[in-house]
Each structure stands twice: as structure tokens, then as C-alpha cells.
Amino acid sequence: MGFARACSVALVGVEGVVVEVQADLEPGVAAFTLVGLPDKSLIESRDRVRAAVVNSGAEWPQKKLTVGLSPASVPKSGSGFDLAVACAVLGAAERIDPAAIADVVMIGELGLDGRVRPVRGVLPAVLAAAEAGYQQVVVPEQTAGEAALVPGISVLGVRSLRQLIAILCDEPVPDEPVDDRGRPDAMLAGLMVPGTGLGAGLASPQGEGHTPDLADVAGQLRPRKALEVAAAGGHHLLFSGPPGAGKTMLAERLSAVLPPLTRQESLEVTAVHSVAGILPPGEPLVSRAPYCAPHHSATMQSLVGGGNGMPRPGAVSLAHRGILFLDEAPEFSGKALDALRQPLESGHVVVARAAGVVRLPARFLMVLAANPCPCGRHSLTGAGCECPPSVVRRYQARLSGPLLDRVDLRVEVEPVDRADLLEQGGRGEPTAVVAARVREARARAAERLAGTPWTTNSEVPGHELRTRLLAAPGALAAAERDLERGILTARGLDRVLRVAWTVADLRGAPRPEAQDIAVALELRTGIQRGAPMEMGAL
């Protein structure tokens, strides 16, 4: 009787669980039994592993073979266990020293010819292995760069099972031919899920080779300033106005204003995108804030996560540490929009399904764009809007009060006049200038919040703002009056304080003054208060 074990990782959402792959050989009729709660793609690994072992020049044991995946109570899915199963079987057959693979984590799919194919979710899998105390991992050669992002882990990238057997047995490593006929690498096909394109990817919102610039936006001083405040403090934003005023243009330029991701944020975003299958090959680390813009026909499951079996990340998780842009927001279903309330407050989403409960990260900056009515001309003087008042009310009520109460900045985008459109009034500030101010404001906030679990003003709880991070004496008089009149809710007052701190950071002030509170109230309520909104006035 022969016995050997190797290790692999089962992914539950974006979190990994180390799985021990045990292989046991006993005398009897040749059979291959796989136990341990595998799914359909994992059950099929029996045929893939047998063909890969034989085609790699090793002998398949003609005995009763049982492969167990422990812990058996954790659901296991995908083809990433193939490499560990093959090595465990070869260890039990004494082709490989069982001690050489006992503490090695192996992740990869096997082709019938023995080649090792890359799989999704390598980064979160290696992170789970590192947290469990493992120090050596074997991954496909194409994902070795992604696995190497985890510190303290020795990564071995292999191209075929034949190469791995030679390395483990201290034999000469055979060369594997590389397909260099100019075609796309078929081995990378498993990393990208078909259908995941611009809306959930990392490319520029305007396409490859084009960098959107704020200087392209004609006029719109107030929306531009709201965009700068949103980027500096991580505040949610609503643009409302007629079609063609520039709401989508402004939202598409927000990602370039945001500062680059920190190392920890990059690892979080890369882990989510690796599991979702939208991580571009050759770019193992995401360094820019993601931009996710789902269509208004998106279902609630596609927004918050879901699917058959174990839930998969939705748009709110794909936009983690980045931007979730909902264009034509009133056209989304009410259930889908109201499902955003919990992640907007907590920064994560908990998806419960029959197969299990998954907690997915979802700390994003939400940007909504909405027309005033179905035809879009309700706010225009003399434009001929024919929507009845009841239709306008119903259309605007699709954005529920509890959802809008979580939006810090609500800005009316006015139509562009002729002077601004023809650049007779001069071009606005470019993205580089605004992004520099945003980085300085974020640095001031990070210095002030050092030693706390928060990094941006939008994350600070209201209790801290009212007890420790105090505004200047008398600065809250206008906000207190609005609270008494019912214009602001208690949550709204906290969000006004957060925006005021961001405005003060943009000015370089040590704490918010009455002027900063006025700007925050004007950006939230839309009521004119005489606050300066010109470029650079803050």
C-alpha cells in the first residue's frame, strides 16, 4: 500500500482554504475514486490527470486508487487541483519522493499532453497558503509573476508535468517547445472569462491609447469641483442634468484623478480581478483604480455578486478601491439599486446562497448619472418637455431616499453654453493639476488619520467627527439649522462633516471653517449659499 499527500487551495469567494490532497494505493481492481465534495469540473480531473501522467512518460498505477480532498466539508471547484492530484498519485506510486511534496502547495490545470495550464485566482490562493504557513508553491509558468507578489513565498513556475517530475526527482529538466508562430497563447485562455470587457476591465474608459483629460470638458465649474472633492475624500457623487451636458464625460475622467493604489490596495484589487477572470495576462499587479460601468439592464446578482454554486464577485467587488459608474441610474431596477445600500456603508458585501456564504470586498466610489425625466428636457427652459408631472415624479423616485441619503455630493449639471463649447471662455484645468491637489489632500488626511483604521475622510465614523475631529467653533451653525428643518438627516450631517474635512484638506486648512461647511452643504443640498466654486478657489 502506498500513500502520499500534496497541498492545493480551494477558493471561497476571494478567500482561500488550504486543501490536503491525499492519494492512497491498495491492491485490487484498478479504479480511480475522487472524494471530498468536488464539483463537476473537479470530478473530470480523473481523466485529465491519468492522460497527463501517461503522456508525461510516467507509469499509471494499476491498483485501486483513492484520492481524498481534506477538509471534506469545504466545497471544491475548478481545475486548479489537477497538479496536486497528479503529484500525490505519483508520490503514492513511489515515482516521486512523498516527502518532497508533502509541504508544497500546487496550483494548476493539466492538459491531456501534460502541459500545465494557468487558472484564475492564483494570487488569493497563494495568499491563503502564506497565511497558513506554507513557504513553497508550484504554479503554471504564466502566473508565476502573479504568485511572486506575495512576500516570503518561494515560487516555482513550471510549463509541464514532465518538468515538475524532473525537478522533484533531481533529474535533468527537459525543454518544452514554445509556440512562437505569432498566434495568441492558447494557454492563457483560461485566465480571461469570455464577455468581460470594458465595463469591468482596467482599460481606459475611452479605449486603449487614449487618456481622458479634464481639460476636454467644456465649462461645468461646479461639477468639476465636485469631482475633485469626490476624488480627494472618496465621497459618492450624483450628477443630474439633461442629456449631452457632460455627465458621462466627467465620470470617465474621475479614474485619472484618483491617486495610484497603495501596495495593499493593489493586492486586494488584483485578488478580486484574478478570481473574476478579468486580470489582463502579463499584468500581474493592478496599480490603477479600476473603473466599472455596468449597463442599466444589469441584474442585482451581477451588481452585488452571485451565480450558480458559490457566489462570484459582482460589479461592486470589481470596482473595489475604484469607481462604480451607474449611467442612466433611474433605469436600473429598484432591487438592484437598493442592494447597494449595505456595501456603501460597510465596504463589503455578504452574499448568502445554498452553497455557502461569501464575504466580498466592496469599498468603491459610486458615481450616479441621471436625467431629470424620461425625455431629459424637464429642467430646460423652453425645451418642450411633454412628460406629465406624475411621470416625472415616478421617474425621479426610482432613486430611493435611503440610497440618495448615502450620496455625499449631488450636483446639477447645466447645459453647456456656446462660449464654453467653443473655448471662448478658456479651457479648464487639466487632469494632472487636479490630480496633484487630490494627492496633497489625501496625504493631509492620511497624516491626520495615522494610527486609525481609516485612510480617507469618507471612512471616518460620525462619532469621531463630532467628538475628536472637531470643526472650528461656530462653523456648524448652518448645518445645525438644516438638521432642525429636516433638510438634513443625522447621516446627512455626518456626511456633510466628512465633505467639509475634504474641502479643508484641499485648501490646506488645519480644520473646517464655516466656508468649508457652506461648500459641503451646497454640494449636498443644491441650495445656493454663496460658497466659492471657482477652480482653485478652495
Side-chain angles (χ1 to χ4, degrees):
M1 182 179 69
F3 176 84
R5 63 185 178 91
C7 296
S8 191
V9 178
L11 289 178
V12 182
V14 294
E15 299 176 354
V17 178
V18 176
V19 173
E20 190 175 270
V21 181
Q22 304 170 345
D24 177 70
L25 283 175
E26 296 180 356
V29 178
F32 188 170
T33 305
L34 183 63
V35 297
L37 212 58
D39 71 341
K40 179 65 175 176
S41 61
L42 186 49
I43 290 176
E44 292 175 349
S45 69
R46 296 178 300 184
D47 300 320
R48 290 195 301 269
V49 169
R50 181 187 292 111
V53 169
V54 172
N55 290 327
S56 297
E59 183 179 352
W60 183 260
Q62 298 299 319
K63 295 182 180 180
K64 181 182 179 182
L65 172 61
T66 303
V67 174
L69 308 176
S70 178
S73 59
V74 177
K76 303 164 189 73
S77 61
S79 56
F81 295 86
D82 290 2
L83 201 58
V85 170
C87 288
V89 170
L90 292 174
E94 298 183 352
R95 175 65 178 85
I96 297 175
D97 183 9
I101 60 173
D103 294 322
V104 179
V105 176
M106 302 182 181
I107 304 164
E109 175 186 336
L110 285 176
L112 299 184
D113 56 354
R115 289 184 298 171
V116 180
R117 301 181 64 94
V119 294
R120 299 189 297 271
V122 168
L123 177 59
V126 177
L127 284 171
E131 292 176 359
Y134 291 87
Q135 299 179 344
Q136 292 181 317
V137 296
V138 178
V139 297
E141 187 180 53
Q142 292 87 342
T143 57
E146 182 180 345
L149 296 174
V150 182
I153 287 288
S154 175
V155 178
L156 173 62
V158 295
R159 193 175 298 169
S160 67
L161 178 61
R162 190 181 300 107
Q163 285 185 340
L164 180 58
I165 294 173
I167 293 172
L168 293 174
C169 297
D170 198 18
E171 299 172 357
V173 180
D175 292 330
E176 294 292 340
V178 179
D179 188 359
D180 56 355
R181 286 175 283 184
R183 298 178 302 187
D185 190 357
M187 300 288 284
L188 299 176
L191 294 179
M192 297 289 290
V193 176
T196 55
L198 177 64
L202 303 176
S204 168
Q206 296 256 333
E208 293 291 342
H210 177 79
T211 303
D213 197 290
L214 270 176
D216 301 335
V217 181
Q220 306 298 2
L221 299 182
R222 188 179 303 272
R224 288 170 62 102
K225 182 51 64 179
L227 199 75
E228 181 177 341
V229 173
H235 306 288
H236 306 304
L237 176 62
L238 167 64
F239 286 137
S240 58
K247 303 185 294 293
T248 304
M249 282 188 68
L250 287 162
E252 288 176 344
R253 282 148 180 79
L254 178 57
S255 59
V257 178
L258 292 176
L261 300 177
T262 64
R263 175 73 178 186
Q264 180 61 34
E265 292 172 346
S266 295
L267 289 176
E268 294 175 7
V269 175
T270 303
V272 175
H273 288 204
S274 178
V275 170
I278 62 172
L279 192 64
E283 297 182 21
L285 185 66
V286 179
S287 58
R288 294 192 305 159
Y291 176 86
C292 187
H295 191 260
H296 60 75
S297 61
T299 62
M300 183 178 68
Q301 290 77 12
S302 67
L303 282 180
V304 300
N308 297 327
M310 293 303 296
R312 296 180 60 83
V316 296
S317 296
L318 301 181
H320 180 59
R321 302 294 182 184
I323 300 164
L324 177 66
F325 176 48
L326 303 183
D327 201 3
E328 306 292 346
E331 300 294 341
F332 283 79
S333 69
K335 290 178 60 178
L337 289 175
D338 288 337
L340 299 177
R341 298 183 194 176
Q342 185 244 347
L344 285 175
E345 287 289 333
S346 61
H348 64 267
V349 60
V350 178
V351 183
R353 294 291 184 269
V357 179
V358 173
R359 184 179 186 272
L360 299 169
R363 187 168 297 282
F364 55 90
L365 195 164
M366 182 179 69
V367 181
L368 304 175
N371 293 326
C373 67
C375 74
R377 300 191 297 270
H378 177 68
S379 60
L380 300 178
T381 303
C385 175
E386 299 179 354
C387 300
S390 60
V391 173
V392 176
R393 285 195 302 270
R394 282 198 302 269
Y395 187 81
Q396 295 179 351
R398 293 181 182 179
L399 298 178
S400 65
L403 177 65
L404 290 180
D405 200 35
R406 291 165 167 83
V407 178
D408 304 339
L409 311 171
R410 309 172 193 172
V411 182
E412 185 75 23
V413 182
E414 302 290 343
V416 183
D417 57 24
R418 178 178 58 85
D420 288 332
L421 193 61
L422 299 179
E423 297 186 2
Q424 295 176 0
R427 290 168 59 89
E429 289 182 314
T431 297
V433 176
V434 178
R437 285 202 299 266
V438 168
R439 285 196 299 269
E440 293 175 359
R442 288 224 177 184
R444 295 188 185 98
E447 183 180 357
R448 180 176 62 253
L449 299 174
T452 69
W454 318 297
T455 56
T456 59
N457 293 321
S458 62
E459 301 173 5
V460 182
H463 175 73
E464 292 287 325
L465 295 170
R466 295 188 299 271
T467 57
R468 190 171 68 88
L469 302 175
L470 299 177
L476 290 177
E480 292 170 354
R481 287 195 299 267
D482 285 358
L483 182 65
E484 293 175 354
R485 295 171 182 170
I487 300 177
L488 284 180
T489 62
R491 180 192 285 118
L493 178 61
D494 290 343
R495 293 186 175 274
V496 166
L497 289 175
R498 294 169 184 168
V499 174
W501 271 105
T502 301
V503 175
D505 289 335
L506 286 169
R507 288 197 306 116
R511 60 179 177 175
E513 306 286 344
Q515 172 189 352
D516 304 320
I517 299 293
V519 172
L521 286 171
E522 187 169 332
L523 289 176
R524 179 173 179 85
T525 63
I527 301 174
Q528 301 292 330
R529 301 172 189 266
M533 289 288 175
E534 293 80 10
M535 301 275 66
L538 299 184

